[in-house]
Structure formats: C-alpha cells, structure tokens
Amino acid sequence: MLDPQLLRDNLPGVAKKLADRGYQLDVQAWQSLEDRRKALQIETESLQSQRTQISKSIGQAKAKGEDMQPLLDQVAGLGDQLDQSKAALQDIFAEMEQVTLYLPNLAQEDVPVGQDEADNVEIRTWGTPPTFDFAVKDHVDLGAVSGFMDAEAAATLSGSRFTVLSRDLARLQRALTQFMLDTHINEHGYDEFYVPYLVNDQAMLGSGQLPKFADDAFITEDGRFLIPTAEVPLTNLVANHILDSDALPIKMTAHTPCFRREAGSYGKDTKGMIRQHQFDKVEMVQIVHPEESNQALEDMTNHAENILKALKLPYRVIILCTGDMGFSAAKTYDIEVWVPAQNTYREISSCSNCEDFQARRMQARFRTPEQKKPQLVHTLNGSGLAVGRTLLAVMENYQNQNGSIRVPEVLQPYMGGEQVINRAE
RNA sequence: GGAGAGAUGGCAGAGCGGUUGAAUGCACCGGUCUUGAAAACCGGCAUACGUUAAUAGCGUAUCCAGGGUUCGAAUCCCUGUCUCUCCGCCA
C-alpha cells in the first residue's frame, strides 16, 4: 500500500510514477473522493463529539437526579444525522480502499522505465556458458535417460504441470535444498524457519498477493490459500508487530513447496520443470531499517548468486524495468541461469526491495529508543533459489554425452559421495 | 468431532450500562535522595486516523473481530476467530 499522505500531498507525482508501472490513476476521480472524504470525516467526527458530550451530561444529570428530558430531546435528532454521516463516510473509505489496495508500489529512481521484459537491463554476468561437442539434451530428455523424472505419472495423479522425481534425481533435489539452506544459515547469517503452507487471506493481503492476484493462487474449501512462496508466511511473521530497533535486521530463510495456478500462462513452458503448479523453493526474507534496505537488496542478491557460483552455473543479473516488476516491489533484480537446451538464460531467482509497501499493509513497525513514534520497517524477499529450476539447470549444464549427469562438487557430500547420476542398472 | 472455560494496556490483573483510554501492581523512562547503587518518594509511560507547518494543540476511534440494543457499551445480546482443559480421533 502506498502512503496515503503521499497521495494527498503529491497526487500528480504519484500518478506519473504509477503510469511508469502501467497503472493509469484517474486523478480527478481520486481528488473528488478525497475532497468528499475530508468534508465527511470532519462532519462525522464533530457530530460524534457533540453526542458524546450530551451523553455525558445525561449521565451527570441522572446522577444528580435532575431532569434529563431536555438533554434527551437535544440528542434525539443527532443520532440519525450521525448514522447517515457515518454510513456515507464508510462508503467513501470503502471506495478509496478499492483503489489503494490495487495500486502497485512505486519504483525507485534508478529503476529503468519500460514496458515489459524486453526493457529489463543486464547488470552483470558470471561464468561462461559451457560448450558441448555433442547435441545437448534438455532436462526432460535427460530425465528420460535415467528414468528418474516422470511427467506422465504426475499427470495421472494430478494433471499437467506436475512432476514425479525418483531415486537420484529426487535425492539431487533434496541435496540442492540442503546445500542452499546450509549456505544461507552458515555463510549468510539467516535463521532457518519452518512455516505453514496454508495461510489466511490476511497474510496474502499483507504481502500483496491479494486482492489483485487471487486467481493465481490455490484456495482451499475453508478459505485458506496454498502459499505461492514462503515470502508470504515469512514476511507476515512481523505483521502487527512493533519491533525494537536492535532486533533489526531480521534475516529468515525457509524451504517450502510453492503452489501457483499459473493462470494466464497457457502454452508457456508446457514441457518440463520450468513452470509447475508445485515447486520447491528456498526463500530469503529480510526485515530491515529503512535506511538499510537498498544495501540489503544488494547483499541478498549476492547471497542468491553465491549459490550459483558454488554450483558453477553461469548466470546473469538483470534489473527489472518499471513495467515488469512485481506488484509489491520498488526495485527488483532477477537472476537468470544458463539453460543450455534453450541456449538462453532463464529466471531462477527474483530479489526485491518492497520498502514499506508490505509493511504498511501488514502494520510491521519498529521503534528506536530515541524516537517515540513507531516507523514502518522495510521488507525484502528473494529466492535463494528456486530448487526445481536449479535442478534443471544442474542437469542440463552437467550433462554427459550418454545422458548421465555429473554431480556438482559441493553437492557430492549431500549425495553420499556420488559423482555421476546414471540410469539405474 | 463432542463438552466446558476464557480473550482488558509490555506483562500481571480490576472493572454496578454513565465525565473509563480504562483502577492497582510489575516492568520501563525522568527526577529527588546517595560517594555510587539499592530502597523510598515524586512525575511520566498505548496506538491509529483526522485537522495542522508541527512527532504542538484539538477532535475521533480502539478493552479479540464483526454486527445489534441504548441518549450512552470494556460492561447487555448475536455471530465469528483464537486460546486453554477434558473426551474422541490421529502423523
């Protein structure tokens, strides 16, 4: 949610920044709502104040045994007037909320202005895409060689966009997860969390998935949501908290499955593990002092990169343009890993500074000893990394001509020292 | 799933439908006292919104949440959520 004060003080400026993000705010309509709100609120509160005063007088009169009737007459008309005024004010508030809940965060100044992913800007690359002296297989074909990846079985169980992994590939995915968690915990200073995979609508609203993106999430019969990312439960851990400033920064990591409807992506990445309804992810979330959020974003991006470096997977970092950023983000770096079979880089991590956008929605604040008034924290989240896509990247980048897959060195301890994944004998 | 109990400020814990944002204690902050500390004493100590240049005043709201009764609700009624105890079931 944007700062409502900002919408009052600098409406044209906000409208312009929203336009950069592809959101057209009807400035006139908003201004007229705001004008009505102000008049109505002042009226309502003044009526309320009058009634309270008279009611108190009635109490006193009664206590002294005086005649209350004149006072009762005086207050008689007030009630209806107040009810009307209140109702009108509530309508205005509701109407305004229907706008504000749908306003995306404003982009930082250094975010490139653009329409879509074509306008994203490459920041840096790491590693060199491997060359193969044979025809490369994609991860689906590699999975077929070992027989440890079974989309058909998954389709029978659940439909499209699911995968069954078995044996060494299942183990490799687990190894990746463990390695990522261990690295973030031991090298990067995150605390490990285990969180619910079902959350309520408040949590989804707090981190910005609701109300706008309800169609992207799976909802249960009793109104809960399967988490689309661990960002939702992790970030909401500080919802409605007033933290001590020395508790910051809070750095959390968790491994969870993620569930996404992938509504609107029909026909995209239908083959293989790129785009699934269910995938595992190791997530990083930081809750920081506002002045430190930009540095934290750089750090967090590096933390995600360190995983790829350790796995020796070539990647590049791009900054998303205003048109391609997520709803809650003020600035986002995507990390894209080299996918040999597609001869291109594909997203494997997204690291965002949401500034106070989520914090305002979920009322996550902190207080310093010097300052009386609590301030909103800044929140950041980043994938570190999407495990399924990492698995796919390892398979393709580490493939041999015969379809076997070398196990990256850092994963070998997690694989019982195994160095190559082969077809089962 | 069944039966019962409960939800009040950072914590503990009062609160006949009437000047209650809410007693009291603890914690915390400031002061007096003291060589220093403790004790004692004095004072302070919620959040949000509106208005405003203002984190000054003033107004409004908030005693789990949402409705209702009433001139007036922490207090009465309804619904929901959560917590606890017992039983059942269960990884």
Side-chain angles (χ1 to χ4, degrees), chain A residues 27-80:
Chain A
V27 175
Q28 278 202 335
W30 179 262
Q31 188 60 56
S32 103
L33 274 176
E34 166 61 16
D35 292 344
R36 278 161 62 205
R37 185 230 103 220
K38 187 164 171 173
L40 262 174
Q41 186 162 357
I42 290 172
E43 178 189 309
T44 307
E45 290 184 358
S46 139
L47 284 170
Q48 185 74 251
S49 177
Q50 289 175 45
R51 195 189 63 180
T52 306
Q53 287 310 316
I54 298 175
S55 289
K56 282 182 182 173
S57 307
I58 292 175
Q60 288 174 45
K62 192 181 179 187
K64 292 182 196 156
E66 295 170 1
D67 182 16
M68 304 183 294
Q69 198 53 48
L71 288 167
L72 287 172
D73 293 343
Q74 201 181 337
V75 85
L78 265 181
D80 287 345

Side-chain angles (χ1 to χ4, degrees), chain A residues 107-411:
Chain A
Q108 287 186 9
E109 289 303 326
D110 59 345
V111 171
V113 175
Q115 292 278 314
D116 51 37
E117 67 269 16
D119 298 317
N120 297 338
V121 176
E122 184 177 292
I123 302 288
R124 58 182 171 269
T125 64
W126 183 90
T128 311
T131 54
F132 298 89
D133 53 8
F134 54 87
V136 295
K137 296 182 177 65
D138 68 16
H139 64 285
V140 178
D141 292 338
L142 290 164
V145 169
S146 63
F148 300 159
M149 181 184 288
D150 194 340
E152 269 181 47
T156 307
L157 295 170
S158 310
S160 64
R161 295 201 190 282
F162 290 91
T163 299
V164 172
L165 297 176
S166 63
R167 301 175 185 85
D168 281 354
L169 282 184
R171 190 182 194 187
L172 183 62
Q173 166 153 297
R174 180 160 55 88
L176 280 167
T177 307
Q178 297 285 69
F179 169 68
M180 290 178 196
L181 280 174
D182 285 347
T183 304
H184 294 317
I185 294 160
N186 298 325
E187 313 287 328
H188 300 149
Y190 290 80
D191 294 322
E192 181 173 5
F193 282 75
Y194 170 80
V195 293
Y197 303 159
L198 286 168
V199 296
N200 59 28
D201 54 352
Q202 271 308 306
M204 291 287 276
L205 190 84
S207 42
Q209 278 75 21
L210 289 183
K212 196 168 180 183
F213 305 101
D215 289 347
D216 293 342
F218 289 103
I219 184 166
T220 62
E221 208 170 299
D222 64 355
R224 282 185 255 255
F225 294 83
L226 280 162
I227 56 170
T229 161
E231 167 199 344
V232 178
L234 285 178
T235 309
N236 276 285
L237 283 173
V238 294
N240 299 310
H241 280 55
I242 298 177
L243 304 156
D244 286 334
S245 58
D246 56 14
L248 303 178
I250 297 173
K251 296 167 74 176
M252 301 176 276
T253 186
H255 157 236
T256 70
C258 304
F259 302 93
R260 300 187 182 177
R261 295 267 301 276
E262 295 299 337
S265 61
Y266 301 108
K268 261 191 208 168
D269 302 311
T270 49
K271 196 181 168 200
M273 286 185 68
I274 290 261
R275 193 177 300 277
Q276 305 263 282
H277 287 312
Q278 170 189 322
F279 63 95
D280 278 32
K281 184 154 61 71
V282 171
E283 182 76 357
M284 302 173 282
V285 163
Q286 291 199 32
I287 312 296
V288 305
H289 190 286
E291 282 168 20
E292 281 155 20
S293 65
N294 277 328
Q295 184 55 50
L297 177 63
E298 300 301 322
D299 294 346
M300 182 182 271
T301 307
N302 287 333
H303 297 155
E305 289 177 65
N306 287 343
I307 302 293
L308 290 169
K309 284 178 179 165
L311 292 168
K312 297 192 167 70
L313 291 171
Y315 66 85
R316 63 170 187 169
V317 179
I318 60 175
I319 182 168
L320 297 191
C321 73
T322 51
D324 200 30
M325 269 197 304
F327 183 71
S328 300
K331 181 176 181 176
T332 298
Y333 293 118
D334 268 13
I335 302 173
E336 300 182 329
V337 70
W338 181 254
V339 178
Q342 298 188 4
N343 200 40
T344 187
Y345 292 97
R346 293 300 305 261
E347 177 187 344
I348 197 166
S349 170
S350 191
C351 301
S352 299
N353 181 0
C354 298
E355 298 185 339
D356 63 12
F357 186 85
Q358 294 178 320
R360 182 171 295 106
R361 285 176 165 244
M362 62 178 75
Q363 285 303 302
R365 293 168 294 171
F366 74 101
R367 185 175 4 225
T368 58
E370 303 79 46
Q371 217 166 359
K372 210 177 133 190
K373 197 175 160 62
Q375 308 175 57
L376 294 166
V377 297
H378 279 194
T379 64
L380 300 98
N381 63 79
S383 356
L385 306 159
V387 181
R389 287 189 181 178
T390 311
L391 176 70
L392 157 182
V394 167
M395 290 172 72
E396 295 198 11
N397 282 281
Y398 280 84
Q399 64 180 288
N400 295 319
Q401 185 161 14
N402 66 357
S404 61
I405 296 156
R406 301 186 303 284
V407 175
E409 216 177 314
V410 291
L411 296 184

